[in-house]
Amino acid sequence: MNKKRLERLSVVLSVVIVVGWGIFWGTQVVAVQEMLKLAYG
Amino acid sequence: MDLLFLFEWIDTSMLAELSKAYGGVFAVVQTFHLGAMVLLGGMILVGDLRLLNIVMADVPAHVVLKNTERWVGYALIVVIFSGIFMMSAVAIKLYYNMFFLSKMVGLFMGVSFFYFIRKPLLNTDHSDLSPWSIKIVAIASILIWFSVAASGRWIGFS
Amino acid sequence: MLNQLLFDLALWLDAQQWSTDLHESYYVYNWVESTHVLTLMIFLGMLVVIDLRMLGYIFKDVPVSKVAERLDKPMMFGFSVMFVTGFLLYYAIPVRTTTSIWFRIKVVLLIAAGINALLLRNITKQENLSWDNDPVPPKRIRISAGLSIAFWAGVIMTGRMIAYDWWDCHKAMPGFMYWAAGCVNELAELD
């Protein structure tokens, strides 16, 4: 693969990873808050 | 695709007999797992922080990456083998553990990203790359490996 | 005598409400613990790069002082976080930790690692670093760097072992071990 194409692919993948990471851990934090609410009201 | 058979197979293997019977051996293997995690995380971080111009800014980035990449490989070997051993002790429990799944997905992504993206793209001269491309790759790399380690720690709590 | 003193200190910490709250909070305690473990990668991750450079295994074409200086800040940042979270972990479970043989070995290894680091620092200052650019530094530097890795590996190992209860005070073990672990009251940790 030539370098320009690899660079473009890398950027797209990286953005997907950053967004996906935010969603995954974001929902974990929400889950934590839910459980805290359940536990302590 | 149900992978339960794989976990059942490991659960009844010779390896599992060893890892379940000797708590001391398990603990020592776990220490190696942690040590290799330090090596892996440290080498990845030094590389990524260099790409973000946070550390070693006066050493060319591709030199930093070339030097650290070899050690990532060594650390991965230790992490994976010690991980399989540890996994064999509690295989069935891990099959149902969400954080184990997220760790394995993260590890797969991390290794693929490392060998197919970060390494081929960045261990030669960077002058023909946009600085933003380099930075976003570094951030993605840090986030993936953070997820792997954090999920791993959380397996023990859940 | 010293054992009794440390034990009393632990009891005093244990009686505080914050200590109990921290121990009993599932999420706060576990996040403090996770932060402590994950920060290993920042603190010891940087340290191991510096030590490997001093052993002549990595960054052979970059001066030793450059590697050490450039990684010093993130390393000390990691150390600070580890120190604070480590203290909190001790504060949450003071009695059991004080009478843990693993914790005691860990503290000894930490002190050893600290002394080794100071000695290494003095050597590097005195010599004005004639070997700064050498791919492989002189033998005594390599010994010190190797010791550093060994001490810290020991710290990781003993730190991990604190969680195991094989040699807790209420278990049967040789008299020497009771003394070394500082078991003043065998049942205190079960209260």
Side-chain angles (χ1 to χ4, degrees):
Chain A
M1 197 174 344
N2 80 41
K3 212 170 172 185
K4 267 288 144 219
R5 280 185 66 188
L6 180 63
E7 184 183 354
R8 239 173 292 151
L9 175 70
S10 307
V11 170
V12 172
L13 270 177
S14 300
V15 170
V16 170
I17 287 166
V18 172
V19 173
W21 187 90
I23 293 171
F24 178 73
W25 286 99
T27 55
Q28 292 306 311
V29 172
V30 174
V32 169
Q33 283 174 340
E34 289 295 310
M35 282 191 229
L36 285 178
K37 241 188 254 167
L38 276 178
Y40 299 107
Chain B
M1 185 174 58
D2 195 349
L3 292 176
L4 183 58
F5 75 94
L6 201 66
F7 289 77
E8 282 173 343
W9 172 69
I10 291 173
D11 185 54
T12 52
S13 65
M14 286 263 291
L15 197 63
E17 267 175 52
L18 189 72
S19 61
K20 285 176 194 173
Y22 301 102
V25 176
F26 183 88
V28 170
V29 173
Q30 199 171 35
T31 302
F32 276 95
H33 195 70
L34 273 176
M37 174 198 85
V38 166
L39 193 60
L40 176 71
M43 294 297 169
I44 292 273
L45 259 183
V46 170
D48 286 338
L49 291 178
R50 171 62 189 90
L51 293 174
L52 293 168
N53 282 330
I54 296 174
V55 298
M56 300 182 94
D58 49 357
V59 179
H62 67 272
V63 172
V64 175
L65 289 194
K66 262 222 167 91
N67 270 286
T68 50
E69 274 163 359
R70 195 160 55 104
W71 294 90
V72 171
Y74 296 153
L76 273 175
I77 293 171
V78 179
V79 159
I80 290 171
F81 278 100
S82 58
I84 291 172
F85 181 87
M86 287 159 63
M87 178 219 167
S88 75
V90 282
I92 301 298
K93 188 183 149 201
L94 290 179
Y95 173 75
Y96 295 102
N97 188 305
M98 208 275 266
F99 287 99
F100 181 73
L101 178 68
S102 101
K103 180 173 178 174
M104 288 307 105
V105 171
L107 180 65
F108 175 76
M109 283 168 59
V111 173
S112 320
F113 193 79
F114 181 79
Y115 283 107
F116 298 124
I117 300 289
R118 199 181 102 150
K119 204 171 167 186
L121 184 71
L122 296 173
N123 72 358
T124 49
D125 187 33
H126 293 178
S127 53
D128 52 347
L129 297 172
S130 144
W132 290 106
S133 315
I134 296 173
K135 291 204 166 73
I136 188 83
V137 167
I139 291 172
S141 166
I142 290 180
L143 293 184
I144 297 177
W145 291 108
F146 168 82
S147 284
V148 176
S151 310
R153 181 64 279 247
W154 213 261
I155 291 171
F157 298 142
S158 50
Chain C
M1 169 64 186
L2 182 62
N3 276 338
Q4 183 68 46
L5 210 66
L6 291 169
F7 187 74
D8 290 341
L9 176 72
L11 280 182
W12 176 69
L13 290 175
D14 195 49
Q16 296 178 13
Q17 189 59 38
W18 278 23
S19 167
T20 313
D21 287 349
L22 186 58
H23 187 187
E24 287 178 356
S25 164
Y26 175 76
Y27 283 105
V28 178
Y29 182 81
N30 286 353
W31 273 115
V32 170
E33 224 248 8
S34 302
T35 307
H36 191 69
V37 176
L38 294 189
T39 311
L40 272 175
M41 294 190 285
I42 302 180
F43 169 49
L44 290 187
M46 302 299 134
L47 187 99
V48 88
V49 174
I50 298 172
D51 283 341
L52 286 174
R53 173 61 187 93
M54 290 189 175
L55 285 167
Y57 289 133
I58 195 173
F59 288 118
K60 286 186 182 185
D61 39 9
V62 182
V64 173
S65 61
K66 206 175 199 175
V67 175
E69 272 166 33
R70 302 299 182 269
L71 296 181
D72 190 58
K73 263 188 203 148
M75 182 173 79
M76 292 322 283
F77 167 77
F79 180 79
S80 317
V81 175
M82 296 217 69
F83 190 83
V84 172
T85 51
F87 175 77
L88 287 174
L89 290 174
Y90 173 78
Y91 180 65
I93 311 181
V95 176
R96 178 171 183 269
T97 311
T98 301
T99 54
S100 159
I101 184 82
W102 297 114
F103 179 72
R104 291 178 168 224
I105 302 173
K106 178 174 174 173
V107 171
V108 171
L109 287 171
L110 278 170
I111 295 170
I115 293 173
N116 182 53
L118 276 179
L119 287 177
L120 186 60
R121 215 186 149 105
N122 280 345
I123 294 179
T124 51
K125 264 189 185 162
Q126 274 171 9
E127 297 193 4
N128 213 8
L129 290 192
S130 56
W131 43 271
D132 204 17
N133 292 307
D134 294 1
V136 180
K139 197 167 184 183
R140 57 192 188 293
I141 302 299
R142 280 181 282 142
I143 290 175
S144 189
L147 276 177
S148 164
I149 290 181
F151 285 143
W152 287 110
V155 169
I156 294 182
M157 185 175 104
T158 47
R160 182 64 193 86
M161 297 295 179
I162 295 172
Y164 291 105
D165 63 357
W166 307 319
W167 287 317
D168 276 9
C169 287
H170 63 277
K171 301 270 169 90
M173 54 185 171
F176 166 76
M177 290 280 286
Y178 278 106
W179 171 79
C183 299
V184 176
N185 176 348
E186 285 174 29
L187 298 173
E189 69 191 64
L190 298 176
D191 290 344

